[in-house]
Amino acid sequence: MARSLYEWLWQHEFWLPPGITWEDMQESEDTHYPQPRDLLLSIPFALILVVIRCAFERAIALPLSTKLGVRDKQRPKAQPNPVLETFYRTRCKNPKEGELLSLAKQCDLPVRKVEKWFRHRRNMDRPSLSKKFSEACWRFTFYIISFFTGLAVLYDKPWLWDHRECWTGYPQQPLQPSLFWYYMLELSFYWSLVFTLPFDVKRKDFKEQIVHHAATIFLISFSYCANYIRIGTLVMVIHDASDCFLEPTKIFNYMKWKKTCDSLFMIFSAVFLISRLVIYPYTVLYNTYYYSMEIFQPFFGYYFVNVLLMILQLLHVFWSCLIIHMVYKFILQGTMEKDMRSDTEESDKDEERDKIREKEKNGITCFSNVTSNGYIQRNGSEPLDNRAHRANGHAKER
């Protein structure tokens, strides 16, 4: 059965244009083509990247965050409570009103305190500012290396300047060593992101990130097996260009260098929107969908790679809407709004709301005390005890 599945999966009709078979892709001493087994190398390389990342964050990023004044916020800890802790770990981290009432009865606590306990407990699990800083430093370092590696590999390649060259001689396009290692670098990095996904900072677009990583890995892997190497290198360079500006924007935001952060954010927004909504559709989508038809007729691989590229484009549109909204707020308010993808601490909003309620409550109490002492009257007249006191005073004078 395994052999039958293997033979079905690697039918040349799936991977190669009509009229081309795997016999036409045989290697020689001077000519090498991409081999699917090469992709297995990305797994150990990804694990190596994970080890390098851990060492980088501990030895470089964390000390750097301290020197640059990045301080973790002091968070109030949730008081030990076995009942609430069990519910938090096994049932739900954000209980509803009915569950809060039930837990309050079990613990003999006010509902407000139970709600506050869960808020503090959730905040304890949220990543610290130094962790966010370290993660941004690592990604910034990789994207810079990857982007300039891509430029160094592609600057003398004809398909970087003439996109029709992506299809000259396809699929019998020999694999150059520089392109192989560039592919391994990118694929290993995205595998490493998958391996560290449970430990990385979770943002509001966590599900979209999973789809993005999966689509990227499938796209890189399929483009390698089907020898879409040239179009694949263009996709990777275009994506790395804007990411080089995103991570330093986060870094300066964590450092609270507001003006620098705002300036970099505007540069990132311009690069992202131009590269993902203009350059990518023309250089990649139009190129793959139309120019490739000048060389071969549509086949399964043609449709499959276009579907993956369109999934990436839909994600580009989703993130572009968030960025445009942030730019709009920036233009109106003159300051950058907090990253809409970030998962902000609940204490920042909920506890402040509680303080406001307490202030309002104290204000009402003070107001009622003032009015009860007779200093403010609805009809503007003097209080009776003051008038009586005055009357007594006048009597004494008489």
Side-chain angles (χ1 to χ4, degrees):
M1 180 180 290
R3 184 173 181 82
S4 300
L5 180 62
Y6 179 85
E7 292 177 353
W8 174 84
L9 178 63
W10 293 106
Q11 294 182 69
H12 60 82
E13 292 86 359
F14 291 164
W15 301 89
L16 302 173
I20 303 294
T21 64
W22 291 117
E23 285 73 19
D24 300 320
M25 302 292 292
Q26 293 294 327
E27 294 185 334
S28 63
E29 293 183 1
D30 301 327
T31 304
H32 298 279
Y33 295 111
Q35 300 296 325
R37 62 177 178 271
D38 298 339
L39 297 176
L40 296 176
L41 292 174
S42 64
I43 303 299
F45 288 161
L47 296 176
I48 293 173
L49 281 179
V50 172
V51 173
I52 294 174
R53 172 184 174 176
C54 293
F56 174 86
E57 290 184 352
R58 290 187 178 184
I60 299 177
L62 280 177
L64 184 62
S65 68
T66 303
K67 290 184 178 181
L68 294 176
V70 177
R71 297 287 183 269
D72 292 333
K73 186 176 180 180
Q74 294 296 327
R75 299 169 177 169
K77 294 184 178 180
Q79 296 298 323
N81 189 309
V83 175
L84 300 181
E85 185 67 28
T86 302
F87 187 92
Y88 179 85
R89 292 185 176 277
T90 60
R91 294 280 302 278
C92 177
K93 296 183 178 181
N94 195 0
K96 296 179 181 179
E97 186 175 355
E99 294 170 328
L100 287 173
L101 291 172
S102 176
L103 290 169
K105 290 180 180 179
Q106 294 180 41
C107 301
D108 193 21
L109 292 173
V111 177
R112 200 74 179 164
K113 284 192 175 181
V114 175
E115 186 180 7
K116 195 172 185 179
W117 187 94
F118 275 95
R119 185 163 65 244
H120 290 169
R121 186 64 182 84
R122 286 193 296 269
N123 284 337
M124 287 172 61
D125 287 344
R126 296 182 192 278
S128 62
L129 201 61
S130 58
K131 177 177 174 58
K132 294 179 181 180
F133 180 90
S134 300
E135 181 179 314
C137 282
W138 164 249
R139 296 197 183 200
F140 172 63
T141 303
F142 177 84
Y143 287 135
I144 283 289
I145 294 173
S146 178
F147 178 65
F148 284 102
T149 298
L151 291 182
V153 168
L154 296 177
Y155 83 97
D156 60 343
K157 303 298 187 292
W159 63 87
L160 180 64
W161 314 105
D162 183 4
H163 307 318
R164 293 177 185 267
E165 288 293 326
C166 289
W167 312 109
T168 301
Y170 180 82
Q172 295 168 310
Q173 297 171 337
L175 176 64
Q176 300 177 19
S178 60
L179 298 178
F180 167 78
W181 288 112
Y182 181 45
Y183 248 73
M184 286 297 106
L185 177 67
E186 291 280 350
L187 184 58
S188 301
F189 175 70
Y190 282 101
W191 271 121
S192 71
L193 291 183
V194 172
F195 295 158
T196 59
L197 205 58
F199 314 103
D200 288 341
V201 177
K202 291 182 175 60
R203 304 183 185 276
K204 291 182 180 179
D205 61 346
F206 179 72
K207 295 180 180 179
E208 289 80 4
Q209 284 286 346
I210 294 176
V211 174
H212 175 268
H213 295 342
T216 302
I217 290 173
F218 275 116
L219 182 59
I220 293 175
S221 301
F222 181 82
S223 65
Y224 186 84
C225 294
N227 206 10
Y228 280 105
I229 298 291
R230 297 184 178 183
I231 200 70
T233 54
L234 295 179
V235 173
M236 293 186 292
V237 167
I238 290 172
H239 279 72
D240 289 341
S242 59
D243 291 332
C244 291
F245 293 96
L246 174 61
E247 301 306 326
T249 302
K250 296 179 183 178
I251 291 172
F252 285 110
N253 182 41
Y254 303 144
M255 293 168 56
K256 302 190 184 303
W257 290 24
K258 197 160 189 59
K259 291 184 179 180
T260 306
C261 174
D262 291 347
S263 301
L264 278 174
F265 174 73
M266 296 304 293
I267 295 173
F268 159 73
S269 301
V271 174
F272 185 94
L273 295 175
I274 293 172
S275 62
R276 305 293 180 94
L277 299 184
V278 179
I279 298 177
Y280 178 84
Y282 173 72
T283 304
V284 177
L285 294 181
Y286 187 82
N287 186 12
T288 307
Y289 191 79
Y290 288 104
Y291 288 165
S292 61
M293 293 297 93
E294 299 176 0
I295 307 298
F296 54 80
Q297 295 298 315
F299 64 107
F300 175 80
Y302 164 83
Y303 294 114
F304 188 67
V305 76
N306 274 284
V307 167
L308 292 177
L309 292 173
M310 284 302 302
I311 291 175
L312 284 182
Q313 183 59 20
L314 291 176
L315 292 171
H316 296 165
V317 172
F318 170 78
W319 284 316
S320 296
C321 292
L322 296 181
I323 291 171
I324 291 172
H325 180 75
M326 294 175 72
V327 171
Y328 176 74
K329 290 286 187 182
F330 177 82
I331 294 173
L332 288 182
Q333 300 176 359
T335 183
M336 190 183 74
E337 193 181 43
K338 288 184 178 180
D339 186 1
M340 294 168 61
R341 298 170 55 230
S342 297
D343 196 6
T344 56
E345 292 192 28
E346 293 175 85
S347 58
D348 291 341
K349 49 187 178 180
D350 293 339
E351 290 191 5
E352 286 180 6
R353 187 168 61 239
D354 292 343
K355 290 179 181 178
I356 291 173
R357 286 177 180 173
E358 289 178 5
K359 287 181 180 179
E360 290 177 351
K361 185 178 180 181
N362 293 335
I364 292 171
T365 304
C366 182
F367 180 79
S368 63
N369 290 335
V370 169
T371 54
S372 64
N373 290 332
Y375 288 101
I376 299 175
Q377 295 294 321
R378 291 183 181 178
N379 57 5
S381 60
E382 287 186 289
L384 293 174
D385 55 350
N386 283 358
R387 284 187 286 178
H389 180 72
R390 280 191 177 183
N392 293 334
H394 289 300
K396 287 179 181 179
E397 288 177 1
R398 290 176 185 174

